[in-house]
């Protein structure tokens, strides 16, 4: 009987551990190694140490491209945040049953095909799309605006796809907020702005950072959004990485770019932990304050 | 008054989220080819879709990969969640941080990491490589869904069973499994939807011989508007929504079974 116990335990632990080790840990290390290897036209890579991949990252022409991508991702995060934060505040004012229904409605599209939804945005932004038709109908414009195939379109598409990723962490950090603090502040004479800036905002900071993390990183990777909405002019980091692996075949460069993304991820995670610590110290969430 | 304002804002956001999808669904029944104005109701794009053999084949491949990878991810993920919850073992911390990392890693990074692995190991890009990749990115979702269910469970039942002489396998199959079945089912459904919707990872790890639906759709929409795509997108959307609704309902019904 004891043998059977060991068997189940062995399989439960072994299967998951080996899968994660083989298909998550090992490949990640391989990306790191690849970024330090030599590019080879015929065999993709040569097993020889080289810093060429990392030098390409510092190339001025690439830096401007990187900046473009970072800018679009940041704008996306800013737009998502400016919708998600008021949205979460509004949501908090509703009864619990409504909240879960609305959150559910928000999550449903998030699980459906994002490619298809980006494609649908073409109908919205196109020359004869809904927005142009609407503006012409009201009489605001005479001829249709060039909305599609622009940086604006890429940012629009990214924020459309990633909005739920911003709302969920912010909403859940607001749910944890102790409303007694707000009442106390009100009693002590703080006005609505002061309460927002000095209590709600600092205490929901972890949620904001988590949301930014879940928006910015995927935003830089979603090459199909730039492909379908940005034309060929507005590339994201994902497009560059994809090119290195599929067309140009500069694997070390592509790998170095991925390491860059992982570094950014780690930095934002670090920020998140800092913010969590800080909000625990400053607020009443942690019971060590009492 | 403020309540009306709040509801209005929420309504606007929901409208923003659903408008593109509504346009897509409407256009799939629109006789006008470019879909900028309504030319009458038609099923012809759906008919065309079912006559398109290469699309149908890609759809079949997607179903194959989706079903197998969701099932495998659910089996491995459920065992992993049980192991993480019940046992102490060497490297447990490392395993849970790997789960965490693999969930946060941007898709594109995971895609190239797996591509490098497959090329190095000489695994041919096609069904097998897709399967491995899909299992890998579905795994953390299953683990987390099952793990959070296990955490909410009353573990004294399993202790009682152990005291009465049940072995670990019996404890799992007779007690834990029935109790976490809703979470397992919901994990499976989530994995399946993730798998049939994935574009980023698949575009790296599949080969020319094995086309799947999202990539086929991608290559079609890059060329321009095509009404068959509206039809297939509508079908994909309706399919995903149904699976999600079922999985959420499964998670809602706490304590049953």
């Amino acid at each position: 009987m004891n043998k059977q116990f060991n068997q189940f335990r062995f399989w439960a632990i072994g299967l998951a551990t080996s899968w994660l080790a083989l298909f998550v840990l090992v490949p990640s290390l391989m990306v790191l190694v690849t970024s330090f290897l030599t590019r080879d036209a015929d065999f993709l890579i040569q097993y020889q140490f080289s810093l060429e991949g990392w030098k390409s990252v510092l190339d001025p022409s690439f830096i401007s491209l990187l900046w473009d991508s970072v800018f679009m991702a940041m704008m996306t995060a800013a737009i998502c945040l400016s919708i998600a934060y008021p949205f979460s505040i509004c949501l908090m004012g509703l009864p619990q049953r409504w909240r879960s229904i609305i959150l559910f409605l928000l999550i449903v599209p998030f699980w459906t095909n994002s490619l298809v939804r980006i494609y649908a945005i073409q109908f919205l932004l196109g020359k004869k799309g809904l927005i142009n038709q609407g503006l012409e109908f009201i009489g605001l414009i005479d001829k249709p605006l060039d909305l599609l195939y622009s940086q604006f379109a890429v940012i629009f598409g990214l924020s459309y796809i990633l909005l739920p990723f911003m709302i969920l962490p912010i909403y859940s950090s607001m749910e944890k907020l102790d409303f007694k603090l707000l009442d106390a502040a009100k009693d002590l004479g703080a006005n609505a702005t002061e309460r927002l800036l000095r209590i709600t905002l600092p205490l929901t900071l972890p949620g904001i950072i988590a949301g930014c993390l879940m928006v910015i990183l995927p935003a830089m990777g979603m090459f199909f959004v730039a492909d379908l909405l940005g034309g060929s002019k507005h590339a994201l980091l994902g497009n560059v990485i994809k090119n290195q692996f599929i067309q140009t075949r500069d694997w070390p460069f592509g790998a170095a770019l991925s390491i860059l993304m992982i570094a950014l991820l780690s930095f934002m995670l670090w920020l998140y932990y800092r913010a969590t610590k800080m909000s625990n110290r400053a607020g009443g969430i942690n019971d060590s304050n009492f | 008054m403020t309540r009306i304002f709040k509801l209005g804002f929420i309504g606007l956001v929901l409208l923003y989220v659903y408008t593109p999808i509504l346009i897509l669904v409407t256009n799939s029944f629109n006789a006008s080819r470019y879909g900028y104005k309504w030319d009458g109701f038609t099923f012809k794009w759906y008919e065309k879709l079912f006559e398109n053999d290469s699309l149908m084949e890609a759809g079949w491949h997607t179903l194959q990969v989706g079903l197998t990878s969701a099932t495998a991810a659910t089996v491995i993920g459920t065992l992993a969640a049980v192991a993480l919850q019940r046992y102490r073992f060497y490297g447990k911390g490392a395993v849970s941080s790997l789960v965490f990392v693999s969930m946060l890693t941007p898709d594109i990074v995971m895609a190239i990491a797996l591509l490098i692995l497959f090329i190095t190991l000489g695994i041919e890009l096609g069904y097998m490589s897709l399967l491995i990749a899909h299992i890998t990115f579905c795994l953390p979702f299953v683990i987390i869904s099952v793990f959070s269910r296990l955490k909410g469970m009353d573990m004294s039942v399993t202790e009682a069973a152990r005291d009465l002489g049940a072995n670990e396998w019996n404890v799992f199959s007779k007690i834990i499994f029935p109790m976490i079945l809703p979470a397992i089912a919901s994990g499976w459904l989530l994995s399946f939807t993730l798998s049939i919707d994935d574009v980023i990872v698949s575009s790296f790890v599949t080969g020319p011989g094995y086309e799947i639906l999202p990539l086929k759709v991608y290559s079609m929409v890059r060329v321009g508007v095509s009404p068959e795509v509206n039809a297939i997108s509508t079908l994909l959307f309706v399919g995903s929504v149904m699976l999600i609704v079922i999985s959420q309902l499964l998670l809602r019904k706490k304590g049953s079974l």
Side-chain angles (χ1 to χ4, degrees):
Chain A
M1 199 159 82
N2 208 18
K3 194 168 171 258
Q4 237 177 334
F5 157 62
N6 282 335
Q7 246 178 28
F8 177 76
R9 201 188 125 116
F10 173 79
W11 283 108
I13 297 170
L15 207 57
T17 312
S18 43
W19 190 279
L20 287 167
L22 188 57
F23 297 118
V24 178
L25 186 65
V26 171
S28 314
L29 294 175
M30 284 171 112
V31 177
L32 188 63
V33 172
T34 305
S35 74
F36 289 107
L37 293 177
T38 310
R39 173 184 183 189
D40 190 295
D42 297 324
F43 301 100
L44 303 170
I45 36 172
Q46 270 175 18
Y47 292 97
Q48 196 172 35
F49 179 81
S50 141
L51 283 174
E52 284 305 312
W54 286 98
K55 273 187 194 147
S56 314
V57 173
L58 296 174
D59 193 77
S61 68
F62 173 70
I63 293 283
S64 74
L65 222 162
L66 180 69
W67 168 242
D68 217 32
S69 175
V70 170
F71 172 76
M72 285 193 271
M74 293 289 190
M75 282 302 289
T76 303
I79 291 172
C80 287
L81 185 61
S82 57
I83 298 175
Y85 208 83
F87 184 84
S88 307
I89 291 180
C90 290
L91 209 53
M92 289 305 293
L94 295 178
Q96 186 63 45
R97 223 172 61 89
W98 287 49
R99 283 191 221 168
S100 32
I101 293 172
I102 290 167
L103 277 181
F104 179 67
L105 281 176
L106 209 70
I107 295 172
V108 167
F110 145 75
W111 285 109
T112 62
N113 199 316
S114 49
L115 169 71
V116 162
R117 285 185 292 141
I118 284 296
Y119 161 70
I121 285 186
Q122 290 187 335
F123 289 110
L124 207 62
L125 297 180
K127 273 221 156 108
K128 290 182 196 156
L130 212 61
I131 290 181
N132 271 323
Q133 277 187 15
L135 289 176
E136 264 176 292
F137 182 76
I138 309 171
L140 268 174
I141 49 171
D142 298 328
K143 54 174 195 251
L145 302 168
D146 269 323
L147 296 173
L148 206 55
Y149 307 123
S150 64
Q151 202 172 43
F152 164 79
V154 179
I155 296 172
F156 186 95
L158 286 174
S159 31
Y160 173 70
I161 292 292
L162 296 166
L163 182 65
F165 290 86
M166 187 65 96
I167 292 182
L168 291 177
I170 289 181
Y171 172 74
S172 74
S173 74
M174 271 191 199
E175 248 188 341
K176 283 188 218 132
L177 191 75
D178 188 352
F179 280 91
K180 276 178 285 189
L181 291 171
L182 291 176
D183 291 336
K186 200 175 178 181
D187 291 343
L188 293 169
N191 63 32
T193 326
E194 277 174 322
R195 269 176 281 151
L196 177 69
L197 290 181
R198 301 193 52 182
I199 298 178
T200 315
L201 216 51
L203 289 181
T204 51
L205 195 62
I208 295 176
I209 296 178
C212 288
L213 183 138
M214 288 168 85
V215 168
I216 291 178
L217 282 161
M220 295 206 293
M222 293 191 145
F223 55 81
F224 59 88
V225 179
D227 252 7
L228 294 180
L229 300 179
S232 52
K233 283 167 293 182
H234 303 282
L236 291 165
L237 198 55
N239 300 73
V240 185
I241 296 181
K242 188 168 182 245
N243 274 340
Q244 304 316 317
F245 277 88
I246 309 283
Q247 282 145 17
T248 339
R249 305 223 150 200
D250 189 346
W251 281 30
F253 180 36
L257 290 177
S258 313
I259 300 293
L260 213 62
M261 278 183 96
I262 295 289
L264 186 66
L265 170 70
S266 323
F267 171 69
M268 294 188 72
L269 276 178
W270 176 78
L271 269 185
Y272 174 73
Y273 284 119
R274 283 288 303 271
T276 321
K277 253 187 171 170
M278 198 190 79
S279 79
N280 279 347
R281 221 182 310 128
I285 297 174
N286 195 335
D287 38 29
S288 67
N289 286 325
F290 294 105
Chain B
M1 185 61 209
T2 49
R3 183 144 199 193
I4 292 171
F5 177 76
K6 279 176 180 169
L7 279 178
F9 185 70
I10 290 171
L12 267 180
V13 172
L14 287 178
L15 186 72
Y16 164 69
V17 168
Y18 280 94
T19 305
I21 298 164
L22 288 178
I23 301 177
L24 198 71
V25 174
T26 318
N27 275 341
S28 76
F29 297 108
N30 189 348
S32 150
R33 186 173 174 85
Y34 294 102
Y36 291 120
K37 60 182 197 318
W38 184 252
D39 269 1
F41 185 87
T42 179
F43 272 124
K44 77 176 167 198
W45 309 125
Y46 288 89
E47 281 161 20
K48 265 195 151 173
L49 177 71
F50 289 112
E51 286 161 10
N52 188 334
D53 287 336
S54 71
L55 258 181
M56 282 291 112
E57 197 198 32
W60 173 238
H61 285 163
T62 291
L63 272 183
Q64 258 181 329
V65 175
L67 291 173
T68 40
S69 64
T71 308
T74 307
V75 172
I76 303 171
T78 305
L79 289 177
V82 172
L84 284 172
Q85 219 269 334
R86 280 179 71 74
Y87 306 132
R88 285 154 168 252
F89 55 93
Y90 184 72
K92 184 173 172 174
V95 170
S96 40
S97 39
L98 272 181
V99 173
F100 183 62
V101 166
S102 64
M103 189 142 126
L104 284 178
T105 308
D107 281 352
I108 191 145
V109 176
M110 184 182 272
I112 67 146
L114 285 167
L115 177 66
I116 293 176
L117 179 82
F118 294 147
I119 300 283
T120 316
L121 293 183
I123 297 175
E124 201 192 335
L125 296 181
Y127 175 67
M128 266 322 273
S129 59
L130 269 177
L131 191 62
I132 292 173
H134 283 213
I135 293 173
T136 308
F137 69 67
C138 292
L139 200 54
F141 291 92
V142 179
I143 295 181
I144 283 167
S145 143
V146 174
F147 187 81
S148 55
R149 176 88 185 188
L150 278 169
K151 247 172 52 181
M153 250 171 57
D154 182 8
M155 274 301 163
S156 56
V157 199
T158 62
E159 278 154 32
R162 293 282 303 161
D163 289 345
L164 293 171
N167 63 34
E168 247 347 77
W169 167 246
N170 282 336
V171 169
F172 174 74
S173 61
K174 298 234 166 75
I175 301 172
I176 299 179
F177 181 73
M179 279 169 96
I180 58 174
L181 195 58
I184 294 177
S186 124
W188 189 91
L189 290 166
L190 290 187
S191 303
F192 184 69
T193 38
L194 281 177
S195 167
I196 60 173
D197 288 342
D198 172 71
V199 178
I200 297 184
V201 176
S202 304
S203 67
F204 281 86
V205 298
T206 189
Y210 198 82
E211 249 188 322
I212 54 167
L213 199 54
L215 294 181
K216 184 92 188 156
V217 170
Y218 185 38
S219 62
M220 284 172 87
V221 296
R222 281 177 87 171
V223 184
V225 174
S226 99
E228 285 143 288
V229 170
N230 298 345
I232 193 120
S233 305
T234 304
L235 291 180
L236 268 176
F237 182 75
V238 172
S240 304
V241 168
M242 285 194 323
L243 293 175
I244 289 311
V245 170
I246 296 171
S247 87
Q248 292 294 321
L249 286 178
L250 283 172
L251 280 182
R252 280 286 143 85
K253 253 202 308 188
K254 275 184 191 135
S256 58
L257 277 163

